[in-house]
């Protein structure tokens, strides 16, 4: 027969320690059958792989930036060698030969009033202004403005000095005669370099249809000065 004292003597008197195999818990990431050295090695391996991956990503980013810089440098060399020299050459030619006026450059000098009637000056001035406006609308034309042109009204003109001052190639001169509603306009085109009239003609029309007369003059001058 077993007594109560014998049962109590079989019970442990101290609490179980953490080192007791029965009380030790296993972690989720440490399999019970894997040694500690193996687990440490895998941890170090994962850390190194993460470090290497970060380094590779940085190298790839640097490579992309370097590739972009190389592309920009290639474009810059192309512009510098192919495009900019042409522009610089054009600027150099314009600077080196400032004495050569543009091919289609002219001034319409104030037309004379043949009637010698001061009240008819406005009529001759109006034709001068209209021709200046019409010729200035030609593509590529360089036409001296009305304000500058009228500073030469009723003055003796030296064409070579005029060409040097205004930087033009041609001068348009003319005279207007009015008889009632009938209008006659004499027009000449002067080569400023030589001072010679290279063309002259006479145009007759009706005052009520003066715009058609001016269109004829403009068309003839456009053909002559664009050649």
């Amino acid at each position: 027969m077993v007594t109560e004292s014998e049962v109590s003597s079989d019970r442990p008197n101290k609490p179980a320690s953490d080192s007791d195999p029965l009380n030790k818990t296993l972690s989720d990431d440490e399999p019970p059958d894997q040694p500690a050295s193996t687990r440490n090695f895998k941890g170090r391996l994962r850390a190194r792989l993460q470090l290497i991956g970060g380094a590779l990503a940085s190298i790839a980013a640097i490579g992309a930036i370097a590739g972009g810089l190389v592309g920009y440098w290639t474009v810059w060399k192309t512009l510098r060698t192919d495009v900019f020299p042409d522009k610089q050459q054009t600027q150099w030619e314009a600077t080196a030969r400032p004495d050569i006026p543009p091919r289609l450059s002219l001034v319409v000098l104030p037309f004379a009033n043949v009637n010698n009637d001061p009240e008819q000056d406005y009529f001759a001035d109006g034709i001068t202004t209209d021709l200046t406006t019409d010729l200035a609308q030609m593509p590529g034309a360089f036409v001296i403005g009305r304000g500058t042109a009228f500073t030469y009204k009723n003055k003796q003109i030296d064409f070579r000095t005029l060409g040097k001052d205004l930087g033009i190639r041609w001068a348009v001169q003319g005279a207007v005669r009015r008889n009632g509603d009938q209008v006659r306009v004499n027009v000449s085109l002067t080569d400023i370099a030589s001072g010679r009239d290279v063309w002259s003609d006479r145009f007759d029309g009706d005052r009520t249809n003066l715009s058609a007369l001016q269109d004829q003059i403009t068309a003839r001058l456009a053909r002559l000065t664009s050649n």
Side-chain angles (χ1 to χ4, degrees), residues 29-31 33-51:
D29 57 350
E30 294 182 354
D33 57 347
Q34 191 177 64
S37 59
T38 302
R39 292 196 299 272
N40 293 335
F41 172 76
K42 288 186 176 181
R44 290 194 300 271
L45 181 60
R46 282 197 300 269
R48 289 186 179 182
L49 289 176
Q50 292 175 355
L51 181 61

Side-chain angles (χ1 to χ4, degrees), residues 166-221:
L166 300 181
I168 55 175
R169 183 178 178 183
W170 309 100
V172 178
Q173 301 180 88
V176 179
R177 182 188 298 274
R178 178 182 168 190
N179 185 14
D181 289 336
Q182 297 299 309
V183 178
R184 170 169 291 180
V185 181
N186 293 289
V187 185
S188 62
L189 181 67
T190 303
D191 180 3
I192 287 181
S194 62
R196 295 186 302 105
D197 288 346
V198 297
W199 168 82
S200 62
D201 204 347
R202 182 180 61 218
F203 297 86
D204 294 326
D206 194 329
R207 181 188 176 189
T208 59
N209 196 16
L210 191 60
S211 59
L213 183 64
Q214 293 171 345
D215 289 343
Q216 295 178 35
I217 300 172
T218 301
R220 292 289 296 278
L221 290 172

